[in-house]
Amino acid sequence: MLRIFSNEFGRLRSGWRALIFCLAFLAILLLIGTVLRVIYVALGDLGPFPRLGFLPDLIFRISLLLAALGAGYVCARWLEGLPWRSLGLTFHQNWLRDLLVGFAIGFVALAIAVGIAAAGGGLRLSFAGAETIVPVMRSLVGSAFLLCVAALAEEALFRGYPLQTFSRAHLAGVGILVTLLFFGYVHLSNPNATLGMTFLNTSIAGLWLGVGYLRTRSLWFPLGLHWAWNWALGAFFGLPVSGMNLVSNPLFRGHDTGPNWLTGGNYGVEGGIAGTIGLILVTIFTWRTRLVSATPDLKKLTSEENPVVPSPVVTIRPADDAA
């Protein structure tokens, strides 16, 4: 009976650890939400709020990020005796290269999907125009920040501790399957989502990002992939991001002329066959590319059920002799 709960190392099995993470994540998110409501009520007594714009969404994304990282660290530390760096979000060797390479690949992948939709006659793009360059630049920069936080929150939740703990149990395939299904499921609540192509393409995106994590055992690379895809979709090409129109002044404006099975309709290119083809191609490329790789330290921390984590070296200086 005990083998159902513990492995040969005397630790909880990965499935139970992932379940505890989910419960801890929900508990921390509830706590953060309660604190924010108290602050909201307290500030409400000071008078009416000014127009907040994208601030509520940013606060929500930051709450998700804090809850995912907090629950991940608690589980990594208490359940597996692992340090913070096991989560893959420290400034390790090549972290910036991973982020930038991921961003470049993600942008090209989205451009391929848009190109397929345009070549099939389903999309037309028009330039915003030189007279709107100032608001366009504001949108490009502002949306980059918001979409980075949003992508990081989702990566910490879906490619963070749950996938990592399955990977340590040599069940990375199971971890990717579980996380991509949940990734697809949560996006069904987005505007204009459908159970068919929306769920399929978002699940393929979850596979792509999971493969990106396994290539580097770091969150920086899948963050770059995810961030660039969403930013290029909304800010560069002016198309809905997972059903939502997030950018008011994009560089180009995409005009969807259908059919919906090709372009995704009101959900955006992620809901059509053009998105499917783009995601499949970039998933294969991400798996086979030699542009990125995992550091030995992160590889060890995420591929062994009971990795030996070296303790920090402490140098003790002998006391000076009394004069």
Side-chain angles (χ1 to χ4, degrees):
M1 178 64 72
L2 291 177
R3 295 187 62 184
I4 297 176
F5 297 98
S6 62
N7 56 29
E8 62 269 30
F9 299 102
R11 286 181 172 160
L12 280 175
R13 293 190 177 275
S14 55
W16 296 110
R17 298 193 301 251
L19 177 59
I20 291 174
F21 166 83
C22 293
L23 296 175
F25 167 77
L26 293 175
I28 296 174
L29 189 61
L30 178 61
L31 176 61
I32 294 174
T34 302
V35 171
L36 291 176
R37 288 187 182 92
V38 171
I39 295 174
Y40 180 84
V41 172
L43 292 178
D45 296 334
L46 301 178
F49 286 99
R51 184 177 179 182
L52 297 177
F54 65 87
L55 187 59
D57 188 46
L58 177 62
I59 292 174
F60 172 69
R61 302 294 179 177
I62 292 175
S63 300
L64 289 179
L65 175 61
L66 294 177
L69 292 177
Y73 175 70
V74 168
C75 291
R77 190 68 179 176
W78 289 2
L79 299 180
E80 301 185 71
L82 294 171
W84 164 261
R85 70 179 188 276
S86 68
L87 296 178
L89 202 57
T90 57
F91 299 125
H92 57 78
Q93 182 182 8
N94 294 330
W95 73 271
L96 183 58
R97 173 185 170 84
D98 290 346
L99 178 64
L100 295 179
V101 170
F103 193 93
I105 294 174
F107 189 95
V108 171
L110 190 278
I112 290 173
V114 170
I116 292 172
L123 280 180
R124 290 186 297 104
L125 298 174
S126 60
F127 183 61
E131 66 279 3
T132 62
I133 191 63
V134 173
V136 166
M137 291 303 297
R138 287 201 193 105
S139 287
L140 289 174
V141 175
S143 63
F145 176 71
L146 176 61
L147 292 173
C148 180
V149 174
L152 182 56
E154 292 189 1
E155 291 312 300
L157 179 58
F158 293 104
R159 263 65 64 180
Y161 183 79
L163 177 55
Q164 293 163 11
T165 198
F166 278 115
S167 179
R168 279 187 285 272
H170 302 287
L171 295 171
V174 174
I176 286 183
L177 178 62
V178 171
T179 54
L180 72 82
L181 290 176
F182 275 101
F183 189 63
Y185 173 76
V186 299
H187 282 79
L188 288 177
S189 61
N190 286 13
N192 306 306
T194 61
L195 185 59
M197 289 300 295
T198 297
F199 180 77
L200 174 64
N201 282 354
T202 309
S203 297
I204 296 174
L207 172 63
W208 170 41
L209 297 169
V211 167
Y213 169 76
L214 291 180
R215 289 304 316 276
T216 60
R217 307 304 173 105
S218 165
L219 292 180
W220 294 110
F221 182 55
L223 168 61
L225 299 172
H226 195 161
W227 179 22
W229 175 280
N230 287 349
W231 182 79
L233 191 55
F236 197 87
F237 292 108
L239 296 169
V241 181
S242 300
M244 297 177 286
N245 293 300
L246 299 177
V247 183
S248 56
N249 294 289
L251 184 61
F252 292 92
R253 290 195 178 274
H255 305 279
D256 191 327
T257 59
N260 288 350
W261 61 264
L262 174 65
T263 64
N266 292 330
Y267 191 79
V269 73
E270 295 166 305
I273 194 68
T276 308
I277 297 172
L279 286 167
I280 290 175
L281 290 176
V282 76
T283 299
I284 296 172
F285 177 82
T286 301
W287 179 249
R288 298 180 62 86
T289 184
R290 296 183 179 180
L291 293 174
V292 293
S293 60
T295 66
D297 180 56
L298 287 175
K299 184 77 170 180
K300 185 177 184 64
L301 286 170
T302 57
S303 61
E304 299 179 19
E305 179 63 40
N306 192 22
V308 177
V309 181
S311 301
V313 176
V314 178
T315 302
I316 301 176
R317 295 182 179 178
D320 294 335
D321 294 335

